[in-house]
Amino acid sequence: AYHPWRKGPFELFGIFIDTEWRSDWKWNRVRPHVRDLTGKRVLDVGCGNGYFGWRMLEAGAELVIGVDPTQIYLMQHLTVRAYVRRADLSARNYLLPVTLEATPPLDPFDAVFSMGVLYHRRDPVAHLRSLKARLTSGGEAVVETLIVDSPPALYPPDRYARMRNVHAVPDAATLVGWFESAGFHDARIVDTNRTTIDEQRRTAWMTFDSPASALNPMDPTRTIEGHPAPLRATVIAHA
């Protein structure tokens, strides 16, 4: 009833929720590069159903606040939360159904994650500045986004890999430059990865189009629109 399930997977009572993304694979790539989360307050921007929040708590975070305005993801989150047996964990992973800009004032966070959000923003540098404003001095930003593997940066006039709301896909140097423009220090790309149809795909729990239909079947280095095929990059930077 809560289709589409995009971030996961989850297993409840022997029911395997086979989500569009194998988000556990992404977490396993990102986690070795992130500072120790023990006792930390974490903000997860564009959190979807809050999957990564559970992994952050598992890694020792004291509190995770996720923000995502999509109502169906809130319902997924509340469903999973209802069945978490350890009440102390359940009480420390929250989802606010709002955008980052509409998030009420909160105490600064030790770490801010923004995974799969930056390329949807019309002003990427403004988004990064908003992340920085939510961090403590010296706090860590973890940003995962689409990039192209060589200059120049791409600003799709219409769709990109069938997605309607992709506004900017930078090359690596442009991406790091955005962080510097936003006032971050020590920005560095710690991981790049080309998403395969094993990691993001259509399932019984997410029946919409997924990457298999987004690439040119005659040339997988190009999108169906003829743009360079996407990579995903993770950047770590500090306020």
Side-chain angles (χ1 to χ4, degrees):
Y2 294 149
H3 177 275
W5 288 79
R6 294 196 182 274
K7 292 186 180 181
F10 298 95
E11 186 171 350
L12 299 173
F13 314 108
I15 298 172
F16 183 67
I17 301 176
D18 190 14
T19 50
E20 175 188 16
W21 278 96
R22 286 301 307 256
S23 303
D24 50 337
W25 295 5
K26 181 180 294 189
W27 179 251
N28 289 340
R29 287 195 301 270
V30 170
R31 179 69 188 94
H33 304 288
V34 175
R35 283 179 179 170
D36 183 9
L37 293 177
T38 302
K40 301 297 176 60
R41 292 165 42 86
V42 183
L43 178 67
D44 185 9
V45 177
C47 66
N49 57 32
Y51 169 84
F52 289 116
W54 302 114
R55 305 308 301 266
M56 292 166 188
L57 292 181
E58 179 184 52
E62 175 62 29
L63 174 72
V64 180
I65 304 291
V67 295
D68 196 301
T70 308
Q71 188 74 21
I72 201 72
Y73 300 156
L74 173 65
M75 301 309 297
Q76 293 173 6
H77 175 76
L78 293 175
T79 298
V80 174
R81 181 183 167 101
Y83 294 116
V84 173
R85 293 182 179 182
R86 287 182 55 190
D88 61 323
L89 276 184
S90 180
R92 294 190 284 121
N93 185 11
Y94 294 91
L95 195 161
L96 302 180
V98 294
T99 63
L100 175 61
E101 293 74 19
T103 303
L106 299 166
D107 289 341
F109 292 86
D110 303 298
V112 171
F113 285 72
S114 172
M115 295 198 281
V117 177
L118 188 64
Y119 48 89
H120 293 310
R121 302 276 73 90
R122 292 188 182 277
D123 188 338
V125 175
H127 178 70
L128 295 176
R129 289 193 183 112
S130 295
L131 299 181
K132 182 173 176 288
R134 297 285 179 169
L135 281 168
T136 59
S137 178
E140 184 166 81
V142 181
V143 177
E144 191 259 8
T145 189
L146 296 178
I147 64 168
V148 288
D149 56 8
S150 62
L154 179 66
Y155 299 89
D158 190 12
R159 296 194 180 203
Y160 177 75
R162 292 190 182 273
M163 294 183 283
R164 282 182 290 239
N165 57 342
V166 174
H167 301 294
V169 186
D171 60 277
T174 299
L175 178 58
V176 172
W178 287 349
F179 279 84
E180 294 170 351
S181 295
F184 280 99
H185 300 284
D186 190 30
R188 64 197 190 281
I189 295 175
V190 298
D191 179 77
T192 58
N193 177 69
R194 195 174 295 279
T195 302
T196 69
I197 57 174
D198 294 320
E199 183 172 353
Q200 185 189 14
R201 68 274 190 267
R202 182 185 301 185
T203 75
W205 297 81
M206 204 301 293
T207 60
F208 300 148
D209 282 341
S210 213
S213 63
L215 299 180
N216 184 332
M218 304 302 294
D219 181 5
T221 68
R222 314 295 291 184
T223 70
I224 199 71
E225 302 88 2
H227 301 305
L231 290 170
R232 301 194 79 93
T234 301
V235 178
I236 303 286
H238 299 100

